[in-house]
Amino acid sequence: DADVTQTPRNRITKTGKRIMLECSQTKGHDRMYWYRQDPGLGLRLIYYSFDVKDINKGEISDGYSVSRQAQAKFSLSLESAIPNQTALYFCATSDPGVNTGELFFGEGSRLTVL
Amino acid sequence: KNEVEQSPQNLTAQEGEFITINCSYSVGISALHWLQQHPGGGIVSLFMLSSGKKKHGRLIATINIQEKHSSLHITASHPRDSAVYICAVRYGNKLVFGAGTILRVKS
């Protein structure tokens, strides 16, 4: 099984619909992240969490919300999807150590908003 | 100016060639990551380094902290190396990604 699992892998939805992307990890890491990737741009941080009680906005959090249900689970919600939220979304985890902070990514969730 | 600049943006090589991808950044960092993204979309970590050089198989990553520059080298390139290579720098709790270098290795 993958260390970081995202569901769904692909979703097509309509403007105004609520969408949830789910992420679960088996690494035992406290730190989890949601990123979006658009063609020609680097990965951009939406939200991050350093433990179950910690939620932080990233650089592009508008229109998104998150929930950290447990150490292993971090969900991203689009309350009312719009077409410019069409993108590839990645969940990632990391160890907090400076020397051991390797990143582990999920396979990505491709979202299309019509 | 982006905090992380990668060059080239696109690179086509012939199988067997030596490949270099560059990453320059503008801030003091605690670590730099090189990542690989295959056409299917998944991203895997290749290296994390804060100084010097690391080697894994045919891949070599170097970093020069004073010059704020890192390079990823691929020796004896192969078509299966075709992917997007992404540089990311860590400072404080922030991680900033480059836009990626699209590599295509032809047989």
Side-chain angles (χ1 to χ4, degrees):
Chain A
D1 286 343
D3 293 325
V4 184
T5 303
Q6 291 183 229
T7 56
R9 294 290 313 280
N10 286 283
R11 174 63 64 88
I12 300 173
T13 190
K14 295 181 179 179
T15 297
K17 294 292 187 182
R18 184 178 187 272
I19 291 294
M20 179 180 285
L21 306 179
E22 300 193 15
C23 176
S24 62
Q25 52 114 346
T26 59
K27 298 296 292 183
H29 291 161
D30 287 326
R31 297 189 171 193
M32 297 188 74
Y33 312 81
W34 274 105
Y35 293 96
R36 68 176 276 174
Q37 185 180 45
D38 298 277
L41 299 178
L43 288 155
R44 291 182 292 166
L45 182 63
I46 306 171
Y47 271 94
Y48 63 103
S49 169
F50 284 173
D51 69 38
V52 174
K53 298 178 182 177
D54 178 70
I55 300 289
N56 304 282
K57 292 183 177 181
E59 58 186 295
I60 53 163
S61 59
D62 286 350
Y64 301 95
S65 62
V66 291
S67 171
R68 184 81 184 265
Q69 303 95 320
Q71 187 202 40
K73 296 184 182 295
F74 193 35
S75 300
L76 176 71
S77 294
L78 289 69
E79 296 301 325
S80 179
I82 57 176
N84 77 359
Q85 291 177 312
T86 293
L88 184 56
Y89 290 85
F90 285 98
C91 175
T93 75
S94 72
D95 184 299
V98 171
N99 293 319
T100 58
E102 185 179 356
L103 293 164
F104 295 85
F105 286 85
E107 291 291 308
S109 296
R110 187 170 297 280
L111 176 66
T112 303
V113 184
L114 302 176
Chain B
K1 185 180 187 298
N2 292 338
E3 291 171 288
V4 181
E5 296 277 357
Q6 287 186 236
S7 63
Q9 291 183 319
N10 288 277
L11 179 57
T12 299
Q14 206 61 39
E15 183 174 359
E17 286 184 357
F18 180 84
I19 289 165
T20 297
I21 299 170
N22 297 297
C23 176
S24 296
Y25 52 91
S26 57
V27 296
I29 66 171
S30 58
L32 182 143
H33 298 257
W34 280 104
L35 309 167
Q36 180 190 56
Q37 184 175 20
H38 275 287
I43 298 173
V44 296
S45 177
L46 298 175
F47 295 104
M48 189 187 75
L49 64 166
S50 54
S51 64
K53 176 180 174 179
K54 287 190 176 181
K55 184 176 189 292
H56 182 70
R58 295 179 295 106
L59 301 178
I60 303 166
T62 64
I63 188 168
N64 184 317
I65 297 294
Q66 287 73 28
E67 294 186 4
K68 295 185 169 59
H69 181 268
S70 175
S71 293
L72 176 68
H73 305 287
I74 305 174
T75 62
S77 60
H78 189 276
R80 66 175 174 267
D81 296 324
S82 298
V84 178
Y85 292 84
I86 301 169
C87 169
V89 299
R90 182 183 298 281
Y91 57 100
N93 285 327
K94 194 172 178 182
L95 190 62
V96 179
F97 293 81
T101 293
I102 302 171
L103 172 65
R104 182 181 170 214
V105 181
K106 298 195 290 186
S107 57

